[in-house]
Amino acid sequence: MTDLRDAAMSSKAWPFEEARRLLKRYEKAPPEKGYVLFETGHGPSGLPHIGTFGEVLRTTMIRRAFEVISDIPTRLICFSDDVDGMRKVPGNVPNREALAEHLQKPLTSVPDPFGTHESFGHHNNAMLRRFLDTFGFECEFYSATEFYKSGRFDEVLKRAVERYDDVMKVMLKSLREERQQTYSIFLPIHPETGRVMYVPMKEVNARDHTITFDDEDGREWVLPVTGGNVKLQWKPDFGARWAALDVDFEMYGKDHSTNTPIYDRICEILGGRKPEHFTYELFLDENGQKISKSTGNGISIDEWLTYASTESLSYFMYLKPKTAKRMHFDVIPKAVDEYHQQLRAYAGQDAAARVNNPVFHIHGADVPESNMVVSFAMLLNLASVAHAEDKEALWGFIRRYAPQASPETHPDLDDAAGFAIRYYNDFVKPHRQFRRADEKEAAAMADLAARLRAYEGEVEDEALQTMVFAVGKEHGFEPLRDWFKALYEVCLGASQGPRFGGFIALYGVTETADLIDAALKGQLAS
């Protein structure tokens, strides 16, 4: 543990850089509450998307890193702002027409369009909790509805009334002049309609902690700010939550970054200490647009898990959080194979290298071994040439290539074979485009097929790769990647693929020669 902690204190891995920054917060004295509190927020206005998962995962990675370098206990909470009014009907839910009459009601007061939960907010909260449970996060779930109604926010809300002018001064600086005229940090919930009211305050009374306002019909109402009668506007809510819970760390997307000084100052005005922050870049869909909960664009968590393991998704989330990433189905195969490459590397690394390896931050100190003796990319190509419809068809080739492997001894590989079949049928097969070889390519491929038929050496990746390499050089391919590209396009119907020597070893020497012959006869391109 000492070696690991020493290595972590100098690691350049971003979770450790953030953990060390957080540790400085308590270098003089430990937290009075007895633990360091990590928070991640969720706005359940739509179905939880993959960015929400990434936020919790990345916060967990920093939490784990902190626990390596410090003995201070930690907690992680996921806070759902489910008192937020439903401003528009999401485009990706059923029974949209029925929801329209509930606009501006708190999400936990909007009927569930799916008909499975107490409200739309409860439904979306349940989905988020299911996602968190799928990945085994050690996370406490907090509902804003419960917090406001139970009185846990009451002290901070009273303080917001008492220091109303100070908080308003911070907020008004950030607003256009027209908005300033009607803005209030408090949003009353109408006692009759249950809607969240965006109305100016007639009075904010610091003596009895009440607010006075007129509703849309001109009727005057006086409400206490406590007991769930009001909610805070979302920017003040951020700072108030930090003050109420004594949050030490929270990360959020780049779209929040300009508001950080506002959140911090409000937290301080309400008696809290501003937390440490981490701002990450956004996830983009296939067209480079920001992933949105309401439109449901991009790839969802369930969709990723249809084609790959949870660990591969965690690996993708670890990579370069400060860089915007396009997140579509075509990133999955690379993430799967790179994750297993890092697993294989971890086994032989010392402590200094391990703390910089992504799999350490995915698994903690309990990193499993990889038993993926065949890459995901190779399985996809095998599914293509073998016209495989189920994973048992792939196992026929895998057993010959790796006799020691079986679904029982290599469960990761067995799962990957099933994922590969699904991925191939949904994304590869519809877009395969075989082409005919030109004269130079045809001569080289015929030569390779002949050498394969005459081959008597070990059926081993490197030896076969050397043969393929030699054929390309002898036939004048420069650069040699043009030779391999030709093999992929003519024989596999793709512009890129696995190491061809490994493919031959897996698919079979004679079978590959037959495949090349079929390609040269135009049987694949037809």
Side-chain angles (χ1 to χ4, degrees), residues 452-464:
L452 289 173
R453 294 195 187 283
Y455 186 73
E456 296 181 349
E458 291 289 328
V459 181
E460 188 268 327
D461 298 17
E462 288 302 322
L464 292 166

Side-chain angles (χ1 to χ4, degrees), residues 437-449 471 475 477 483 520:
D438 64 26
E439 186 176 345
K440 177 181 177 181
E441 294 166 347
M445 290 180 192
D447 185 7
L448 177 58
V471 171
H475 284 264
F477 284 90
W483 163 232
L520 294 178

Side-chain angles (χ1 to χ4, degrees), residues 394-406:
L394 298 186
W395 269 106
F397 295 95
I398 296 170
R399 288 189 183 93
R400 182 174 61 185
Y401 176 75
Q404 79 284 3
S406 71

Side-chain angles (χ1 to χ4, degrees), residues 212-273:
T212 303
F213 64 96
D214 289 341
D215 65 15
E216 297 100 324
D217 298 324
R219 291 184 296 168
E220 183 177 277
W221 296 88
V222 179
L223 293 178
V225 297
T226 54
N229 287 292
V230 307
K231 80 174 295 288
L232 290 167
Q233 292 260 17
W234 68 276
K235 291 179 186 177
D237 188 81
F238 246 94
R241 192 166 70 232
W242 288 348
L245 296 169
D246 192 13
V247 174
D248 292 297
F249 180 91
E250 180 154 355
M251 67 162 58
Y252 36 75
K254 183 181 178 181
D255 49 347
H256 281 276
S257 60
T258 56
N259 296 321
T260 297
I262 296 174
Y263 304 154
D264 285 348
R265 184 64 192 126
I266 290 174
C267 175
E268 292 170 338
I269 290 172
L270 297 180
R273 180 185 180 186

Side-chain angles (χ1 to χ4, degrees), residues 30 76 81 113 120 124 130 143 171 173 184 209 250 277 379 386 391 393 410 467 490-491 510 526:
L76 169 61
D81 186 16
F120 189 35
N124 292 341
R130 177 172 65 84
S143 162
M171 287 305 307
K173 287 180 182 177
S184 170
H209 303 106
E250 180 154 355
H277 324 99
L379 291 171
K391 63 183 179 180
H410 290 61
M467 177 194 293
V490 173
C491 299
T510 301
S526 58

Side-chain angles (χ1 to χ4, degrees), residues 40-42 56 76-80 128 132 139-143:
T40 181
H42 172 59
V56 182
L76 169 61
I77 64 173
C78 180
F79 196 99
S80 174
L128 176 64
L132 300 179
C139 181
E140 303 168 49
F141 187 83
Y142 280 29
S143 162

Side-chain angles (χ1 to χ4, degrees), residues 44 67 109 163 236 289 300 308 330 383 389 428:
E67 290 172 344
S109 297
R163 302 173 188 179
Q289 301 299 310
S300 71
D330 55 3
E389 295 297 328
V428 179

Side-chain angles (χ1 to χ4, degrees), residues 212-355:
T212 303
F213 64 96
D214 289 341
D215 65 15
E216 297 100 324
D217 298 324
R219 291 184 296 168
E220 183 177 277
W221 296 88
V222 179
L223 293 178
V225 297
T226 54
N229 287 292
V230 307
K231 80 174 295 288
L232 290 167
Q233 292 260 17
W234 68 276
K235 291 179 186 177
D237 188 81
F238 246 94
R241 192 166 70 232
W242 288 348
L245 296 169
D246 192 13
V247 174
D248 292 297
F249 180 91
E250 180 154 355
M251 67 162 58
Y252 36 75
K254 183 181 178 181
D255 49 347
H256 281 276
S257 60
T258 56
N259 296 321
T260 297
I262 296 174
Y263 304 154
D264 285 348
R265 184 64 192 126
I266 290 174
C267 175
E268 292 170 338
I269 290 172
L270 297 180
R273 180 185 180 186
K274 65 182 181 181
E276 306 301 318
H277 324 99
F278 181 88
T279 303
Y280 59 84
E281 268 287 358
L282 305 177
F283 294 109
L284 310 175
D285 67 12
E286 61 179 322
N287 299 314
Q289 301 299 310
K290 174 189 169 185
I291 289 177
S292 165
K293 288 193 293 273
S294 60
T295 59
N297 61 328
I299 184 173
S300 71
I301 298 174
D302 284 339
E303 286 170 333
W304 185 293
L305 298 185
T306 300
Y307 303 106
S309 67
T310 56
E311 293 81 7
S312 65
L313 177 55
S314 298
Y315 173 81
F316 183 85
M317 290 291 175
Y318 173 86
L319 300 174
K320 297 180 179 178
K322 294 281 190 181
T323 301
K325 287 204 283 292
R326 178 181 167 278
M327 190 167 198
H328 198 57
F329 294 98
D330 55 3
V331 306
I332 292 176
K334 185 171 183 283
V336 173
D337 284 339
E338 287 186 358
Y339 164 70
H340 282 278
Q341 288 168 10
Q342 296 290 358
L343 280 184
R344 288 190 288 273
Y346 186 88
Q349 290 174 331
D350 60 15
R354 285 183 168 185
V355 295

